[in-house]
Amino acid sequence: DKGLLTTIAYKVGDEIAYALEGSVFVAGSAVQWLRDGLKIIKHSSESESYADLVKDSLGVYFVPAFVGMGTPYWDNESRGAIFGLSRGASKEHLIRATLEGIAYQAYDVLEVMASDADSEILTISVDGGAASNNFLLQFEADITNTRLIRPKELETTALGAAYLAGLYTGYFKDLAEIKKYHEIDQMYFPTIDDGLRDKLIKGWKLAVKACRMFKEIK
């Protein structure tokens, strides 16, 4: 009811596992924009070290709606916007705000997912290239108030397909055997208090609202 998609996660034998899916249109590609568009970093991996150079984003919010916004907004007309710039803002603050923008979008998805599933989300498993960024994962743990788990193998989508193929051909006996191969690289726990978390989320919600209103005055 709140903008999530339903999908089939997998089918093993006669058992079909369904999933709720949230869509974020721009995440890691926002960092690529910093690299290829603005050219303020040479490599995407540098975003982590630059973000760590400042204690916060100095009130800067970056809504990376380059091609609209997905869950829960489904707004194809919105475009990216940066809010809260002051004279003291630097490229480090913008880079940090970009990474924070990815985490805020994950928060938006998880907020409606917990509501639709009527279940509290305590743990998030992450994967993909962006999961190698320690700053991003720590901020996401902070803003979502959950524990994040990063596996040793980040290409989980391809690995899952391989596991299912192995299960189908009999290479693996069952799902329990496959679970034994799962290895954790690192876990991230929330480190900020509720007051700061609420303040940061309030700022993000305001930035998203302003971003979406901009198209009305074109």
Side-chain angles (χ1 to χ4, degrees):
D1 296 328
K2 296 178 175 63
L4 295 171
L5 307 173
T6 56
T7 186
I8 294 177
Y10 60 86
K11 180 177 183 291
V12 176
D14 294 328
E15 179 188 355
I16 298 177
Y18 294 90
L20 285 175
E21 180 181 5
S23 293
V24 173
F25 295 158
V26 177
S29 57
V31 178
Q32 294 172 1
W33 176 68
L34 297 179
R35 181 193 66 195
D36 303 332
L38 296 187
K39 302 185 187 304
I40 59 176
I41 55 175
K42 292 183 178 180
H43 305 285
S44 296
S45 58
E46 292 178 353
S47 60
E48 179 182 338
S49 56
Y50 276 114
D52 282 330
L53 290 176
V54 288
K55 65 178 182 179
D56 55 37
S57 66
L58 202 66
V60 177
Y61 285 87
F62 177 23
V63 185
F66 294 149
V67 291
M69 302 192 72
T71 305
Y73 309 103
W74 294 111
D75 184 348
N76 292 327
E77 300 300 320
S78 292
R79 290 296 178 263
I82 300 170
F83 298 97
L85 290 175
S86 64
R87 182 62 183 84
S90 63
K91 80 172 186 178
E92 289 83 4
H93 294 108
L94 177 57
I95 291 169
R96 180 174 176 129
T98 302
L99 295 176
E100 290 180 354
I102 298 173
Y104 284 127
Q105 291 180 101
Y107 166 83
D108 284 340
V109 171
L110 290 164
E111 183 183 35
V112 294
M113 189 166 285
S115 176
D116 258 3
D118 193 24
S119 177
E120 185 179 7
I121 298 174
L122 302 176
T123 302
I124 305 172
S125 296
V126 298
D127 72 323
S132 62
N133 191 302
N134 292 295
F135 172 83
L136 171 60
L137 298 193
Q138 183 57 59
F139 187 80
E140 189 169 327
D142 287 338
I143 212 66
T144 59
N145 197 26
T146 59
R147 176 183 65 169
L148 262 67
I149 298 177
R150 179 173 66 193
K152 287 187 176 181
E153 176 54 64
L154 293 181
E155 297 304 327
T156 304
T157 302
L159 185 63
Y163 280 154
L164 286 173
L167 190 64
Y168 179 78
T169 58
Y171 184 84
F172 298 114
K173 182 175 63 176
D174 51 31
L175 292 175
E177 181 184 356
I178 291 174
K179 287 181 180 179
K180 296 178 182 178
Y181 290 94
H182 179 66
E183 294 183 284
I184 295 174
D185 175 52
Q186 191 167 340
M187 292 193 292
Y188 301 81
F189 299 88
T191 60
I192 64 174
D193 59 52
D194 292 341
L196 177 56
R197 182 180 302 108
D198 291 344
K199 179 182 177 181
L200 291 171
I201 292 173
K202 182 178 180 180
W204 167 253
K205 296 287 189 182
L206 184 61
V208 170
K209 181 178 180 180
C211 178
R212 298 182 66 199
M213 288 179 63
F214 181 75
K215 64 179 181 293
E216 298 178 4
I217 59 173
K218 287 182 179 179

